[in-house]
């Protein structure tokens, strides 16, 4: 049995630093460690798996909560993770892999975003104009070394996004010119 401090998690993950408190994170997390090899030099291998079911959390920037389902598997040399996040009618799926996680840490991430309704999820009531449309896209990233100071140096990837039924509402072009 172990405890995870959400405040420490939030301060450690840059995407969550300014997102408001994560105390309302909910879900059923299950993990199983089949084998852990620890030597005087530290952890030498770990075999484990787990999943998060019925996950849900809210970010202050979004009108709707995010639902999440996730699974991971660790072998002696690799970590594989897959997750799906629902935001309103939209769905984000993610597959991530880390090879040689105790050494070189070669990693790749593949994402697929479908049918994210911008109007449905963002509170734009205080903005001078609103953006509407359905966002979809895909991207792939690869890199080596997951240490924050080295993460961006070897990062490569590509992606595409498209907006269907896109429009700018209440935008006064004459005011801008």
């Amino acid at each position: 049995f172990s405890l995870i401090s959400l405040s420490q998690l939030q301060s450690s993950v840059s995407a969550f630093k300014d997102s408001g408190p994560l105390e309302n994170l909910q879900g059923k997390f299950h993990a199983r460690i089949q084998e852990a090899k620890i030597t005087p030099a530290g952890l030498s291998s770990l075999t484990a798996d787990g999943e998060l079911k019925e996950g849900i959390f809210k970010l202050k920037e979004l009108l709707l909560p995010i639902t999440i389902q996730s699974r991971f598997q660790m072998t002696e040399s690799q970590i594989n993770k897959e997750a799906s996040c629902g935001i309103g009618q939209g769905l984000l799926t993610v597959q991530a892999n880390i090879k040689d996680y105790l050494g070189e840490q070669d990693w790749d991430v593949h994402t697929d975003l479908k049918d994210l309704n911008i109007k449905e999820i963002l509170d734009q009531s205080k903005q001078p104009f609103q953006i509407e449309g359905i966002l979809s896209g895909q991207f792939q990233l690869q890199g080596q070394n997951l240490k924050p100071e080295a993460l961006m140096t070897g990062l490569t990837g590509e992606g595409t996004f498209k907006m269907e039924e896109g429009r700018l509402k209440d935008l006064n072009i004459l005011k801008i010119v």
Side-chain angles (χ1 to χ4, degrees):
F1 182 90
S2 80
L3 298 175
I4 297 173
S5 165
L6 292 180
S7 62
Q8 286 182 342
L9 173 68
Q10 186 171 13
S11 66
S12 300
V13 179
S14 62
F16 293 143
K17 281 186 180 176
D18 298 320
S19 65
L22 286 177
E23 282 103 23
N24 60 355
L25 177 64
Q26 301 173 27
K28 297 176 182 174
F29 181 74
H30 168 77
R32 178 179 58 161
I33 298 174
Q34 289 94 359
E35 181 179 44
K37 293 180 184 173
I38 302 171
T39 68
L43 183 66
S44 65
S45 74
L46 179 65
T47 305
D49 59 42
E51 63 186 339
L52 172 65
K53 292 183 176 181
E54 301 172 27
I56 186 168
F57 66 96
K58 179 97 173 82
L59 297 175
K60 68 180 180 179
E61 295 85 4
L62 301 180
L63 293 171
L64 300 174
I66 298 170
T67 60
I68 184 169
Q69 308 289 328
S70 179
R71 301 175 72 132
F72 75 90
Q73 182 179 26
M74 297 176 73
T75 66
E76 289 184 6
S77 63
Q78 186 164 322
I79 300 173
N80 300 311
K81 181 165 177 42
E82 57 186 55
S84 62
C85 301
I87 310 169
Q89 73 181 29
L91 179 65
L92 173 67
T93 56
V94 179
Q95 286 189 316
N97 303 296
I98 304 171
K99 295 176 186 164
D100 190 19
Y101 62 88
L102 293 173
E104 295 293 321
Q105 298 178 332
D106 292 324
W107 58 269
D108 62 84
V109 176
H110 301 275
T111 66
D112 188 25
L113 176 65
K114 293 183 179 175
D115 301 326
L116 185 64
N117 185 331
I118 301 298
K119 180 181 177 181
E120 178 183 56
I121 66 162
L122 293 178
D123 180 8
Q124 302 179 67
S125 61
K126 296 177 184 170
Q127 302 302 319
F129 64 92
Q130 291 79 47
I131 300 172
E132 295 180 359
I134 309 297
L135 188 62
S136 296
Q138 298 179 342
F139 71 89
Q140 294 86 32
L141 295 172
Q142 300 86 32
Q144 188 177 48
N145 194 335
L146 292 169
K147 293 182 177 118
E149 63 274 5
L151 190 61
M152 297 305 285
T153 59
L155 180 67
T156 62
E158 61 182 35
T160 59
F161 287 99
K162 70 177 181 177
M163 176 86 71
E164 295 179 341
E165 303 172 29
R167 69 183 226 184
L168 301 174
K169 187 176 172 189
D170 298 330
L171 177 64
N172 186 341
I173 298 289
L174 296 176
K175 258 187 173 178
I176 296 174
V177 178

